[in-house]
Amino acid sequence: MCGIIGYVGDEAAAPIVYQGLENLEYRGYDSAGIALVNDGGGLTVAKRSGEVSNLTVPDAPDATCGIGHTRWSTHGPPTDANAHPHTDCTDSIAVVHNGIIENHEELRAELDAHEFTSDTDTEVVPHLLEAARADEAVPDLRAALERVIDRLEGSYAVCVVDREADRIVAARDGSPLVIGHGEDAAFVASDVTAFLDRTREVTYLEDGDVADLSADGDVEVFAAGDAAGSEPVDRGVETVEWEADAAEKAGYEHYMRKEIHEQPSALRQTISGRIDIDRGRVDLDVSFPPGFLADLEEIQIVACGTSNYAGRYAARLFEDLAGVRATVEIASEYDFGAGRSPDRTLVVAVTQSGETADTLGAIRRANAAGARTVAVTNTLGSTVTREVDDTAFIRAGPEIGVAATKTFASQVATLSMLAVAIGRERGALAAADARSVLEDLRGLPGAVQQVLDAEDRVRAAASEYGDGEAFFFVGRDLGVPVALEGALKLKEISYDHAEGFAAGELKHGPLALVTADTPVLAVLTAGGRASETMNNVTEAQTRGAPAIGCVSAADEYDTLDVSLPVPDVGTFEPLVANVHLQLFAYHVANDNGRPIDKPRNLAKSVTVE
Ligand code: M6R
C-alpha cells in the first residue's frame, strides 16, 4: 500500500518522478504528490487527492532531485492535506512514507511546538527530522534520519529530501524499498516497476537499512547496528530479467484483461525447465534437510485473498500427491497450533507480492515456533524471500491489476509441482502417477488458451446475466476454491454482491437467498465432483435461478442456461474453469464502467495488518 519513488541525477526530476507514480499507482490511488529540490535551494511541493492524473506536475526543468508518493489511506481521509509529501515547519524537509507509524500519537505529543497540517501518522517524521537537524551533533540528513528511525515503531519505507542539496536519504523496516542504478543517476522506489523503463540494475534494501543517494548516482547503504546505520554494507546489484513493456498494457484497455490473456505464457514460464515427464520428477530448487520429508506430518499453508484460494486448491494436491495432511489458514488468523511438532511441519507462505503484512506475520510466527518455511511468490527480492528457508518463484511476470489473475494460475501450478516433488521424494507418489499429473500440467497452457479463444461466449453470458441482484458461485472438491475465487473476483471489481460456496452447502442456508435474479455459476469439471454439483445447481434452478456452468469437454448438461466448455486437463480443469470466471467478472465490471484495475478501497500490495 502506497507507492514511493525518488530520483536524483542530471535530468529534470519532475517527469521521471511523475512517470514513476503512474507506474506505481496500483499500490494506491487516494492521492498523489511530488517534492522537488529547486536548483539553487528550496523545495517545490505539489500534491492532490485522487488519482495521479489529478496532479499538476510542477514546471521545474532545473530541479534534478525529487520524491513522489501515491497513497492508500490508513491514517486520515484521502484529502489534499493528507497527501504526501509532508514537510516540516520551515518547508525545508519533505518526506514520503509507506507503512504505519504506530507510536505517532505519542511522538506528536512530544512535538507540541511544531505546527502539524495533516491527520497522518507520517507527518511526525519531517518534524522529528527538523528537531534532529537543529542539534549540532547531527552532521547531516542521513544522521538525522538514523536518529529519527530509532524512534519509530511500526513499519516504514521512507524517502527524504531537504532544500539544501540534490540528495535523497531513504530507510526501510517492514515495507519494501529497492534502489535503481542508472547512468549518473539513482532511483529509489517501492517496486522496480517504478523505474524499469530507465534501469534494470537494482539493489534490494533489507529491514534496518539506510540508503544515501547522491547526484552523481552514487549510492551508499548502511545497515542497522548498535550504532544504527554506522556500518556501510554491500547489498549487491541484481539485474531484473523482465522487460519494462511486460508491465505495460500492450493495447489492452485494462491490465486485468491483459493479465488474464497472459496466462498461457505465464504458465509456460512457471513450468519451463522444471518438469521431467519421463522420469516423473520435478526440480523446483527447493531443498529439505536429510530425512525431513520422510518424517513430515503436516503442511500448513498460510495466505490471504486469492493466494489463500490457491493454497486451498493446493492443499488437496498435497494430500493426494504427497500423502501429507495439509491445512490452509487465513494468514491473519494463523497460529502455529498446539500439539504440532515444529520439526515435522512445513509452513508454506503463498503470496504474489511477497510483501503482504498478514502473511509475513504468519511466517514469523511459524519461524518462532521452529517450523521449516517455504515461500511461493512472484516477487524477486521481496521481504518474504528473506524470512523463509526456501523460495519457489512462480515466474508469472509482473501483475499490475489489483485483481490477481495470472498469478493464481501460476501459484497453483507451482504448488502442484511442489506436491509432486515432495510426493516423489517421500515415495508416496509412483512415477506413473507423477507422469500423469505432469502431462496434465504440460497441457494446462493450451487448455487455458482454448478458453481465452472462446471469450465471446462468456462476454455474452456477462451481458445477459450481469445485472443480477447477487451471484452465487458453487463447486465441490477442487471446485470449491475456484468458486470462492470466482466470487472474490466479481465482488472486487464489479462491486456486485457475490458469494462462493461448497455446492452441498447451498441447501443448508444460502438457498433462501436464491431467486430468479441471482445467477448461479458452477464448476462442473473433473476434480470437482461434477454430477453431484449439478444436482445442487438443479435445486437452485428449481427456485428460478439462471445457471451458468463451466463444464468438462466430455460432459453435457442440457438444462444449463449457459455452458462454458473446459478442455480435458484432469486435476487442473477447475483451474481452467477459473479463467471463464475471471472473464465473467471482467465483462460484468466493464459493462458497468467500473475502474477495473483500481477498484475502490483496495490496493495491490497490502502491507498493513
Ligand atoms: O500479494 P499477496 O498474494 O499476498 O496478496 C494477497 C491478497 O491481498 C490478494 O490476493 C487480493 O485478495 C487480491 N486483490 C485478489 O484479487
Side-chain angles (χ1 to χ4, degrees), residues 45-296:
V45 176
K47 50 191 196 171
R48 178 63 70 84
S49 60
E51 299 187 3
V52 173
S53 57
N54 285 1
L55 185 67
T56 306
V57 187
D59 180 23
D62 296 328
T64 55
C65 175
I67 55 176
H69 186 271
T70 177
R71 180 169 186 241
W72 186 85
S73 313
T74 56
H75 291 70
T79 58
D80 289 354
N82 288 334
H84 300 214
H86 291 288
T87 51
D88 66 322
C89 299
T90 61
D91 288 335
S92 302
I93 296 168
V95 174
V96 291
H97 165 228
N98 168 29
I100 292 182
I101 295 165
E102 282 162 10
N103 58 336
H104 70 106
E105 283 178 0
E106 178 193 323
L107 294 170
R108 220 177 235 244
E110 263 179 40
L111 294 159
D112 56 353
H114 291 247
E115 191 188 337
F116 280 78
T117 57
S118 80
D119 311 316
T120 64
D121 53 334
T122 303
E123 201 186 345
V124 296
V125 178
H127 292 288
L128 286 170
L129 284 164
E130 181 184 0
R133 292 300 303 264
D135 181 345
E136 281 175 9
V138 174
D140 62 7
L141 190 60
R142 174 167 68 82
L145 182 59
E146 286 170 355
R147 179 183 278 194
V148 168
I149 60 178
D150 258 1
R151 304 289 322 279
L152 305 181
E153 289 168 17
S155 62
Y156 56 82
V158 286
C159 290
V160 184
V161 288
D162 83 5
R163 60 188 302 161
E164 283 168 18
D166 282 359
R167 176 187 187 190
I168 299 171
V169 294
R172 71 158 277 179
D173 194 3
S175 298
L177 213 49
V178 58
I179 303 287
H181 304 278
E183 204 166 304
D184 299 326
F187 303 80
V188 56
S190 306
D191 185 324
V192 291
T193 50
F195 52 67
L196 202 58
D197 50 344
R198 297 199 156 246
T199 180
R200 292 198 279 148
E201 303 301 305
V202 304
T203 297
Y204 294 101
L205 296 184
E206 298 191 3
D207 279 348
D209 285 354
V210 175
D212 200 334
L213 289 69
S214 50
D216 55 6
D218 276 357
V219 178
E220 289 181 289
V221 181
F222 301 83
D226 289 341
S230 57
E231 290 301 318
V233 280
D234 181 1
R235 294 284 179 225
V237 177
E238 294 177 35
T239 304
V240 177
E241 297 297 342
W242 40 274
E243 301 290 339
D245 63 2
E248 288 166 7
K249 282 191 209 151
Y252 286 91
E253 198 182 338
H254 297 103
Y255 283 112
M256 183 186 179
R257 184 153 174 265
K258 174 189 174 232
E259 288 157 4
I260 291 171
H261 279 262
E262 280 174 347
Q263 286 176 105
S265 61
L267 283 164
R268 281 190 196 98
Q269 288 180 81
T270 303
I271 298 163
S272 170
R274 288 170 152 178
I275 62 175
D276 178 342
I277 295 184
D278 292 341
R279 293 173 52 237
R281 292 278 174 193
V282 165
D283 182 6
L284 263 186
D285 263 350
V286 173
S287 54
F288 299 97
F292 177 78
L293 291 180
D295 293 342
L296 188 61

Side-chain angles (χ1 to χ4, degrees), residues 296-467:
L296 188 61
E297 280 177 356
E298 184 177 358
I299 295 175
Q300 299 178 342
I301 301 171
V302 293
C304 307
T306 291
S307 297
N308 185 279
Y309 300 146
R312 285 188 190 216
Y313 202 116
R316 181 59 198 272
L317 302 182
F318 280 122
E319 296 201 332
D320 285 356
L321 304 175
V324 189
R325 182 173 71 236
T327 55
V328 188
E329 295 276 349
I330 293 170
S332 54
E333 294 294 320
Y334 172 77
D335 200 359
F336 182 73
R340 260 94 168 188
S341 328
D343 49 349
R344 292 176 177 222
T345 304
L346 178 66
V347 180
V348 180
V350 187
T351 165
Q352 185 285 129
S353 60
E355 301 292 350
T356 299
D358 290 331
T359 306
L360 293 174
I363 274 297
R364 285 169 193 150
R365 291 193 282 284
N367 283 334
R372 191 162 182 90
T373 52
V374 168
V376 173
T377 184
N378 198 27
T379 313
L380 292 171
S382 57
T383 303
V384 77
T385 63
R386 287 194 283 272
E387 307 245 349
V388 291
D389 295 307
D390 252 311
T391 299
F393 289 102
I394 67 168
R395 304 179 183 165
E399 187 178 71
I400 307 296
V402 165
T405 51
K406 63 176 177 174
T407 53
F408 176 78
S410 289
Q411 284 170 341
V412 172
T414 306
L415 288 160
S416 70
M417 288 189 284
L418 188 60
V420 169
I422 293 177
R424 293 289 284 137
E425 211 163 318
R426 279 167 59 80
L429 184 66
D433 294 333
R435 274 198 288 276
S436 155
V437 177
L438 297 178
E439 286 285 7
D440 287 337
L441 191 58
R442 186 166 62 179
L444 186 54
V448 170
Q449 189 61 57
Q450 286 183 50
V451 166
L452 295 170
D453 291 345
E455 183 174 359
D456 282 350
R457 219 156 164 165
V458 75
R459 192 198 311 260
S463 137
E464 187 166 356
Y465 297 103
D467 59 357

